[in-house]
Amino acid sequence: MPRSIKTLSKRAPRIMLYSHDTLGYGHLRRNLLIAKALSELDPKPEILLIGGMREAGAFALPSGTDCVTLPAYAKQSDGSYRPRELGDDIARLARMRSRIIKSVAAGFDPDLLIVDNVPRGAQFELDDTLAALSRRGNCRIVLGLRDVIDDSQVVRRQWLRQRNFETVRRYYDQVWIYGDPQLYDILSDCSMGERFGSRAHYLGLLDPTARGETKQAALDLETIAGNDQRPYVFCAVGGGRDGADLCEAFARAPMPKGHRGVLVTGTQMPETLRDSVLKHAEAREDMVVLPFVHEPFGVMAGATRLVGMGGYNTTMEFLAIEAPALIVPRCKPRREQVMRTTRLAARGLVSMLKPEELSPASIGDWLAKPVSQTGTMPDMAGLARVQDMAHAALFDRPIDAAIQRNHKPEAEHFISAA
């Protein structure tokens, strides 16, 4: 049920963002992007990120933003969780994280909580916090969903088994979908529309272009470009835990004449696999391998071509940059990446290479041939709508009025799912 919002005239609004962060940097980086947009609101809010990725400290935080890093889970190839470092007792780790989150929420006293993708949190660690905030009655609670979760039958079974629909109805005021229904209609395909009702709103995809304008992006570009004026092909695999095959294929692939390759393996790739990639790269003079780039957007924007996996953030970056892009999507344990990439490839916006087709030769063939990637772009105005929706939630204003008052011309594509 809608909650009353506290009076904010005497202090800054407080916004808390949660992400469970079990595989790669995707959820963390999406929340950082959203935090940057929210930091531009007037009045300027205090923003607190809660996440389970210790690499959070390596990313620049927007002004007025701080973070709490939880002891980490690691997601295994079958989709199950284990502690990333702290032994093998997953139940103990879940209890520990749950208590930390509840304590932080009580101390911070947020006016708006935005939960990324998992209504009850990993291992249901948000249950106590959601109940406590609901009892206090002065915090708006929002679920932010990426455009694609998984195959629709898998999503429906999982959400029913985990009582996610019930949790949304009980605790959440709104559901923000960071996607374009013309590309993929998750509400219809996953039978969410009737269950969410008027809570659900499509906001559009999240355009990361502004990240390329930061000082960190310029520093990273200068570090990689250096004195080497050769054009380059850029390849990245997020955190890297499941990106070894693509990294090795890219490290062995022939580069276009006069080009070099820039490969970012991610910090989570197992050491033995990273050593294998480095061995191939060290044998050639046209390949640079890095474990991590603080802000990759500027480096991506300087590349002649882009190669990567199909996570949400990487795909948004590829769409925002004009360079031709080749995506090798992950197909398990979730089909999210292949579902999104297939639709974008059908529009002619990216090229797709299935994992079973991956090889140094197949990457080299794509790099060598002309590629024309022109098609109808999806709605990318999601961050502006996040600002409008957050402002409306914080100050108890009608959503439609906020959109009409503040929005850019592309807001005409805004769709509310009743």
Side-chain angles (χ1 to χ4, degrees), residues 42 64 70 73 75 80 161 176 178 185 197 199 211 341 352 377 402 412:
D42 184 17
L70 304 169
Y73 293 122
K75 194 171 190 177
S80 64
R161 184 177 67 251
W176 299 350
Y178 309 131
D185 187 350
R199 292 178 179 86
R211 289 214 307 256
T341 306
M352 182 174 75
M377 282 288 289
E412 64 186 6

Side-chain angles (χ1 to χ4, degrees), residues 201-221:
H201 307 275
Y202 283 104
L203 271 62
L205 298 166
L206 305 179
D207 185 344
T209 300
R211 289 214 307 256
E213 301 167 359
T214 62
K215 292 182 180 179
Q216 187 62 59
L219 286 172
D220 288 335
L221 177 58

Side-chain angles (χ1 to χ4, degrees), residues 258-278:
H259 284 60
R260 61 185 178 127
V262 175
L263 171 60
V264 182
T265 62
T267 59
Q268 297 175 8
M269 183 177 292
E271 187 174 352
T272 54
L273 297 178
R274 188 185 299 123
D275 288 345
S276 177
V277 171
L278 288 172

Side-chain angles (χ1 to χ4, degrees), residues 14 36 44 60 317:
R14 295 173 184 164
K36 177 62 170 66
K44 187 178 181 64
E317 290 160 345

